[in-house]
Amino acid sequence: MAGNTIIAVFDFDKTIIDVDSDNWVIDELGFTDLFNKLLPTMPWNSVMDKMMMEIHAQGKTIEDISAVLRRIPIHPRIVPAIKEARALGCELRILSDANTFFIEVILEHLGLRECFSEINTNPGFVDEEGRLRISPYVDFNNCSHGCPNPCPPNMCKGVILERIQASLGAEKIMIYLGDGLGDYCSSLRLKEKDYLMPRKDFPVWNLICDNTMLIKAKIEEWADGADLERVLLQIINKILSREKQVAALLSGDYKLQPITMSAQENLIRVLSVTQ
């Protein structure tokens, strides 16, 4: 595939879908008041596990939860954007503070599950009593991820992103899309060759605007699903165009097309890696 040097990492809530999936399920099933009472007493991830047990005790089934998830709001251009990015050869992954059950149900319903090679999120599973249980990505009761940035206790996305980066080849270019406070730590880990797509006027955007000098990656904001599609595909096609120019230089066909300065710089990088 042409774009296999590109890896796009997506947040899920308010990035792929239009809302917070936790809040959506709680509100749609009518448990908002209890959720609001519990929230000041324990971390969010623990509240969600407690709520799932309470929802089960009140007679709601796994299918009730799944039905709510299948009608979650999503911008009509998100699904085409993801499918087109995958068709262009990009590897797609998810890095989210939601949970595996919510994400899997929604992706399967949208026909997107096979587009993503990896989902990094909190474990969600159905226990032997038919209850949905939600566990923290990091067991913060026994250890801490140790991050000084505004990450929740159960997950530091920056640490996870570093693991992803360490597993990639030097030629890989990352595009990171997110909206929340937890996405700020990931943003700081991106490199100069990478692209950051923060959602405009959302928490991560505000943190980035406070000091853009801390971000090494190229910043391309987006506001809604149509924006996300336009910006994401624009970035992908720009990278693919540069790759074609570099390939032409290496193959000796460079006389057939004008070579941009960025392509020459990329060629120098390629040659320095191969030597």
Side-chain angles (χ1 to χ4, degrees):
M1 291 185 181
N4 59 10
T5 60
I6 306 170
I7 175 169
V9 180
F10 292 75
D11 181 29
F12 191 73
D13 292 346
K14 300 182 181 179
T15 297
I16 290 179
I17 59 174
D18 266 351
V19 296
D20 181 284
S21 57
D22 290 345
N23 284 330
W24 174 261
V25 169
I26 297 299
D27 294 346
E28 290 294 300
L29 291 177
F31 289 85
T32 307
D33 289 344
L34 178 59
F35 179 83
N36 290 337
K37 288 177 182 176
L38 289 175
L39 191 55
T41 68
M42 61 186 80
W44 184 288
N45 186 259
S46 302
V47 174
M48 282 305 298
D49 185 52
K50 181 82 171 176
M51 290 301 306
M52 292 303 104
M53 290 191 288
E54 181 62 27
I55 285 171
H56 179 268
Q58 295 296 324
K60 300 295 184 180
T61 66
I62 292 298
E63 180 51 38
D64 292 329
I65 296 172
S66 297
V68 166
L69 290 168
R70 287 192 287 267
R71 62 173 186 263
I72 205 160
I74 181 170
H75 191 283
R77 298 313 307 168
I78 293 293
V79 171
I82 290 172
K83 288 184 175 180
E84 179 63 16
R86 186 71 192 95
L88 288 170
C90 302
E91 181 185 356
L92 310 182
R93 303 193 192 189
I94 288 175
L95 177 47
S96 167
D97 195 17
N99 66 80
T100 52
F101 184 86
F102 286 9
I103 292 174
E104 296 266 4
V105 169
I106 293 168
L107 291 182
E108 290 285 355
H109 175 65
L110 296 173
L112 294 177
R113 180 61 188 90
E114 297 306 313
C115 292
F116 293 93
S117 62
E118 182 180 67
I119 298 174
N120 298 276
T121 188
N122 300 296
F125 63 95
V126 181
D127 69 12
E128 63 278 0
E129 297 182 35
R131 301 176 301 187
L132 177 59
R133 303 301 307 273
I134 299 172
S135 303
Y137 187 88
V138 172
D139 184 0
F140 52 85
N141 292 313
N142 294 320
C143 64
S144 168
H145 52 61
C147 179
N149 293 310
C151 298
N154 61 293
M155 174 178 285
C156 171
K157 290 187 176 182
V159 170
I160 300 171
L161 194 78
E162 284 185 337
R163 173 186 59 76
I164 295 173
Q165 289 172 323
S167 71
L168 303 176
E171 76 284 359
K172 291 283 189 177
I173 298 174
M174 184 174 290
I175 306 171
Y176 187 89
L177 304 89
D179 68 278
L181 290 176
D183 296 304
Y184 182 65
C185 202
S186 309
S187 304
L188 296 174
R189 303 305 208 279
L190 296 173
K191 302 174 182 179
E192 291 181 359
K193 64 179 180 178
D194 298 328
Y195 291 83
L196 172 61
M197 287 181 57
R199 190 167 188 180
K200 191 173 182 180
D201 296 326
F202 277 68
V204 71
W205 166 261
N206 296 330
L207 279 176
I208 290 167
C209 288
D210 286 342
N211 193 344
T212 57
M213 298 300 292
L214 295 176
I215 306 297
K216 297 177 183 177
K218 305 167 190 68
I219 301 172
E220 301 282 355
E221 73 271 13
W222 59 282
D224 58 21
D227 248 6
L228 183 151
E229 179 184 42
R230 176 183 59 80
V231 175
L232 177 62
L233 297 183
Q234 198 172 65
I235 292 171
I236 292 170
N237 284 316
K238 182 191 298 184
I239 296 169
L240 294 179
S241 176
R242 286 205 304 260
E243 288 181 352
K244 288 178 181 178
Q245 290 184 323
V246 171
L249 279 170
L250 292 172
S251 68
D253 293 334
Y254 56 88
K255 291 182 180 179
L256 299 178
Q257 55 182 313
I259 305 301
T260 66
M261 182 61 68
S262 62
Q264 294 178 38
E265 292 169 350
N266 285 337
L267 177 61
I268 291 171
R269 292 193 192 100
V270 170
L271 294 174
S272 66
V273 169
T274 56
Q275 286 175 349

